C-alpha cells in the first residue's frame, strides 16, 4: 500500500491521475463510467478548488483508493 501526503488539492488530483494512468484508464472512460463530464475529471486531477468533495471521494473509490485523515506534527 502506497501512502501519499496530501497538503493541497493539486496533491490529491495528481495522486488520482497517477493511479488512473497506472490502471490504464482514460479520463474519458472514467468520466463515462462515473457519469461525470470529461471536464470534471480533468478539474479533479488538476486540483481545482471548486470540485465537490463527494465527487472527489467517488472518483477515488472508482480508482480503488480511499482517503485517510491523520494528525501530523
Amino acid at each position: 500500500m502506497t501512502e501519499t501526503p496530501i497538503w493541497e488539492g493539486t496533491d490529491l488530483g495528481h495522486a488520482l491521475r497517477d493511479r488512473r494512468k497506472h490502471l490504464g484508464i482514460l479520463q474519458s472512460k472514467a468520466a463515462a463510467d462515473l457519469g461525470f463530464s470529461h471536464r470534471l475529471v480533468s478539474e479533479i486531477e488538476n486540483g481545482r478548488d471548486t470540485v465537490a468533495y463527494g465527487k472527489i471521494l467517488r472518483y477515488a473509490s472508482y480508482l480503488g483508493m480511499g482517503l485517510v485523515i491523520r494528525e501530523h506534527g
Side-chain angles (χ1 to χ4, degrees):
M1 174 192 301
T2 303
E3 290 188 18
T4 303
I6 304 296
W7 300 107
E8 53 190 51
T10 54
D11 297 332
L12 177 56
H14 293 168
L16 293 170
R17 180 198 62 212
D18 292 347
R19 174 69 174 172
R20 175 185 57 76
K21 287 183 174 185
H22 174 78
L23 294 172
I25 301 170
L26 297 175
Q27 277 186 342
S28 56
K29 176 162 176 29
D33 287 350
L34 291 163
F36 292 174
S37 68
H38 183 266
R39 180 179 175 160
L40 176 60
V41 172
S42 177
E43 289 178 354
I44 290 171
E45 292 186 1
N46 286 303
R48 292 274 310 217
D49 290 337
T50 57
V51 179
Y53 291 114
K55 291 189 178 185
I56 293 170
L57 294 172
R58 198 165 142 210
Y59 186 45
S61 179
Y62 168 81
L63 297 173
M65 301 172 81
L67 300 177
V68 175
I69 304 296
R70 163 177 339 156
E71 287 186 29
H72 64 85

